[in-house]
Amino acid sequence: MRDAFSAFNDGIVMTNPYPVDQVEIVQAPLPDKVVLPLQQRIGDEAIPCVVVGDKVLTGQIIAQTQDVFCVPIHASISGTVVAIDEQIIPHKSGLKSTCITIQSDGKDVWIEREDCGDFLHCSPETLIQHIQQSGIIGLGGAGFPTHSKLSKSLDCHTLIINATECEPGIMCDDALMQHYPREVVRGVEILLHISGASQAVIAIEDDKPEAYRSLLMFNHNDKISIVQIPTKYTSGAEKLLIKTLFNVEIPSGGFATDKGFVCQNVATSKAIFDAVIENKPLVSRIVTVTGSGVVPNNFAVRLGASFAHIVALAKPDDKQHDIRMGGMMMGVDVATLAVPICKISNCIFVNHTKAKPHVQECIRCGQCNQACPVGLLPQQLYWHAKSEHTDRAMDYNLRDCIECRCCDVVCPSHIPLAEYFSFAKALHQQQMREKHQTDVARERFEFREYRLERNKQERAEMMAKKKIELKKKMANDKVQKDKIAQAMARVKKTKQDKK
């Protein structure tokens, strides 16, 4: 493994603007009701298997699909299904999506699940199916179904546990590692058993010394190493982390599994422990609530509880707030605290409302180029994205942009570069779809013209052939008529001669 420090030539260093003296986890009270969106991952929306009025138990499957990305939705509390309708979900557009609302009975009665037994005696396929039925997805923010990722990792040689939590302000993973180090390490051992990897590396930033020591204390597996890397945003991006740890570059458009690596988030590892060892599906998670408008802390909360449910526990002040879900860099602004906590909701920022800085013209300082962690040229990308020349932007590897906003932060003109890049990506995809549709329509038109012309030629050839055959037939008929006439003439002459 290479010296970690040498890899960090790009990216930015950002201190936590809302530090705490002690990283804690507060158990949030059971919510009175939960709202569970049916679209919490990639793939199709889950289909409800309950109806309004049904009584459900904690951990009971209430919606699922049958596609390859199928991840069931579980009831996070026991109670009664009171609604299945469209409600606002945590998304920057304020989108509505189908949700199941459960009113709590206050008892939190869990459903009995079938145990998979000692994981060391289970096949990888059995464990992957158990993880799938436990509703586990990547808890780092991407939300990719864990069972699908594990299915592609069976030939990997190295398992990487991403415990960097590089976005400043978020500390839910830090709290998880400090309070549940045994469970995290045990979860990594389960992942090693499934993947068959020869080694596992838990990568953690060096600004989390307590979590690092906790993991070291509970790690007694020679296959598992715990590595500190420098605190720098964006150290947690998958391809950058692999480059940092092993000096292996994943090419554009490629995947980590192509090079024998599989990455999992540290919170996902704990969720796998809960599913396999404790036999509990994913019905809760740890969420950081931080920002200038609250007292920062971490809360263990049931999925589907409202943002307001745990923000109230963080003692918000009376000032006007801006709400942001996810990181202060890659998160999204949300309009209301009434939206539910989902599996990927790792952090809620509650900040005092501030006027946004005035955007000025680009002065070509080049600071964005220096800050880009993946080595792109944001200045060039900006000009092409602004002019909607997406093909030119793609020539500058726009698709490799991870929209980390490092370029935004260092831009003295306050240009929202990442928004331009996100827009350009979406525009390029739309143009590609339209071009594909145009190409398909043109090909269909050209084939129709070709088919009509071909039919015309074939018909002409057929008519010409028939005409020739008809002439031959008529000619043959004339010959036959002549022969008959000659025969008749001979008969007539013979009769006259006899007279």
Side-chain angles (χ1 to χ4, degrees):
M1 192 178 305
R2 67 177 302 194
D3 178 4
F5 283 87
S6 61
F8 285 86
N9 295 322
D10 297 307
I12 55 177
V13 177
M14 300 179 69
T15 56
N16 183 357
Y18 312 109
V20 296
D21 294 332
Q22 188 172 2
V23 178
E24 299 176 333
I25 297 177
V26 176
Q27 183 65 51
L30 208 64
D32 294 333
K33 74 170 184 179
V34 293
V35 177
L36 298 163
L38 302 185
Q39 185 77 63
Q40 295 198 25
R41 55 168 182 84
I42 64 172
D44 298 333
E45 184 178 272
I47 300 173
C49 46
V50 294
V51 297
V52 174
D54 281 359
K55 302 289 185 183
V56 295
L57 301 177
T58 306
Q60 178 180 335
I61 293 177
I62 57 174
Q64 61 182 343
T65 61
Q66 298 301 324
D67 63 29
V68 294
F69 296 115
C70 170
V71 176
I73 307 293
H74 299 80
S76 57
I77 57 174
S78 61
T80 305
V81 177
V82 295
I84 301 177
D85 55 7
E86 289 197 340
Q87 300 195 41
I88 298 175
I89 60 173
H91 191 274
K92 61 181 178 181
S93 64
L95 279 173
K96 285 188 174 182
S97 181
T98 306
C99 302
I100 296 178
T101 303
I102 302 173
Q103 189 71 39
S104 174
D105 58 9
K107 300 177 182 177
D108 194 29
V109 181
W110 284 71
I111 194 171
E112 292 187 6
R113 300 180 75 225
E114 185 177 352
D115 192 351
C116 67
D118 184 357
F119 76 88
L120 292 175
H121 295 94
C122 293
S123 67
E125 292 76 15
T126 300
L127 290 171
I128 290 173
Q129 184 180 12
H130 191 75
I131 289 169
Q132 176 193 18
Q133 288 301 305
S134 299
I136 298 175
I137 63 173
L139 298 180
F144 194 84
T146 301
H147 72 275
S148 181
K149 200 169 188 178
L150 288 175
S151 299
K152 301 175 182 176
S153 69
L154 301 183
D155 296 327
C156 291
H157 52 71
T158 299
L159 167 68
I160 297 176
I161 302 300
N162 189 344
T164 56
E165 200 171 44
C166 60
E167 282 240 22
I170 304 177
M171 52 185 176
C172 58
D173 285 352
D174 189 4
L176 180 82
M177 290 183 283
Q178 290 193 39
H179 293 270
Y180 299 100
R182 183 183 70 85
E183 289 81 356
V184 168
V185 172
R186 199 65 171 157
V188 176
E189 291 176 337
I190 296 171
L191 286 168
L192 273 174
H193 178 72
I194 294 174
S195 64
S198 58
Q199 63 172 337
V201 178
I202 303 177
I204 182 171
E205 286 191 331
D206 57 11
D207 66 340
K208 303 174 181 61
E210 293 297 330
Y212 176 69
R213 284 193 287 271
S214 296
L215 291 177
L216 281 179
M217 185 180 301
F218 283 89
N219 179 32
H220 306 293
N221 192 319
D222 294 337
K223 288 185 175 181
I224 302 175
S225 56
I226 304 168
V227 178
Q228 286 184 299
I229 61 174
T231 301
K232 195 168 186 177
Y233 182 75
T234 58
S235 63
E238 183 174 280
K239 291 184 178 180
L240 297 178
L241 187 57
I242 294 173
K243 173 74 173 176
T244 301
L245 294 172
F246 297 96
N247 196 26
V248 174
E249 192 154 346
I250 308 299
S252 176
F255 298 96
T257 51
D258 298 340
K259 297 290 185 179
F261 297 95
V262 57
C263 295
Q264 295 287 350
N265 178 265
V266 67
T268 307
S269 174
K270 166 65 165 54
I272 289 173
F273 170 86
D274 291 339
V276 176
I277 305 298
E278 301 291 339
N279 201 24
K280 290 183 177 179
L282 183 60
V283 297
S284 65
R285 68 158 299 145
I286 300 172
V287 180
T288 298
V289 179
T290 188
S292 57
V294 294
V295 178
N297 213 332
N298 302 290
F299 300 93
V301 61
R302 295 295 172 89
L303 301 176
S306 68
F307 279 24
H309 180 67
I310 55 173
V311 169
L313 301 175
K315 303 175 183 177
D317 58 29
D318 295 331
K319 297 181 180 178
Q320 189 173 0
H321 299 139
D322 289 331
I323 311 301
R324 189 174 180 84
M325 182 188 74
M328 55 188 292
M329 298 294 286
M330 297 183 72
V332 296
D333 295 328
V334 294
T336 172
L337 288 173
V339 294
I341 291 169
C342 303
K343 294 177 181 178
I344 61 171
S345 305
N346 58 351
C347 182
I348 302 172
F349 277 88
V350 183
N351 289 317
H352 296 146
T353 300
K354 288 183 178 179
K356 293 185 178 179
H358 178 64
V359 178
Q360 299 175 318
E361 291 296 326
C362 175
I363 57 174
R364 300 177 184 271
C365 64
Q367 292 188 42
C368 53
N369 297 342
Q370 299 173 13
C372 181
V374 293
L376 302 180
L377 298 174
Q379 184 179 314
Q380 298 297 327
L381 290 173
Y382 166 63
W383 294 116
H384 295 311
K386 186 179 181 181
S387 58
E388 299 187 5
H389 293 155
T390 59
D391 287 338
R392 297 295 306 276
M394 286 296 166
D395 292 340
Y396 280 87
N397 300 314
L398 175 63
R399 63 173 55 86
D400 290 334
C401 173
I402 58 176
E403 300 177 29
C404 60
R405 294 188 60 241
C406 285
C407 48
D408 284 21
V409 172
V410 301
C411 179
S413 298
H414 306 295
I415 300 173
L417 295 164
E419 291 185 13
Y420 276 99
F421 303 153
S422 177
F423 166 76
K425 286 181 184 176
L427 179 61
H428 184 73
Q429 289 181 351
Q430 180 183 350
Q431 291 174 341
M432 289 298 100
R433 284 195 298 270
E434 292 175 351
K435 183 177 182 301
H436 175 70
Q437 292 172 350
T438 302
D439 290 344
V440 170
R442 187 185 67 253
E443 289 175 1
R444 292 179 62 185
F445 173 77
E446 291 176 350
F447 180 75
R448 180 178 180 275
E449 292 295 303
Y450 161 77
R451 180 168 52 83
L452 292 175
E453 181 63 23
R454 183 192 63 191
N455 292 345
K456 184 179 178 181
Q457 291 180 359
E458 288 178 350
R459 183 175 179 79
E461 291 173 359
M462 181 184 68
M463 295 302 293
K465 185 177 180 182
K466 282 187 175 180
K467 192 174 181 179
I468 294 171
E469 291 176 350
L470 181 62
K471 285 182 177 179
K472 287 182 178 178
K473 183 179 179 183
M474 292 176 66
N476 290 334
D477 291 346
K478 188 175 182 301
V479 170
Q480 290 298 325
K481 287 179 179 178
D482 291 343
K483 288 181 177 179
I484 293 172
Q486 292 173 2
M488 292 293 292
R490 285 195 299 272
V491 172
K492 186 177 180 181
K493 184 175 182 302
T494 302
K495 287 180 178 179
Q496 289 175 351
D497 291 344
K498 287 181 177 180
K499 291 179 179 179

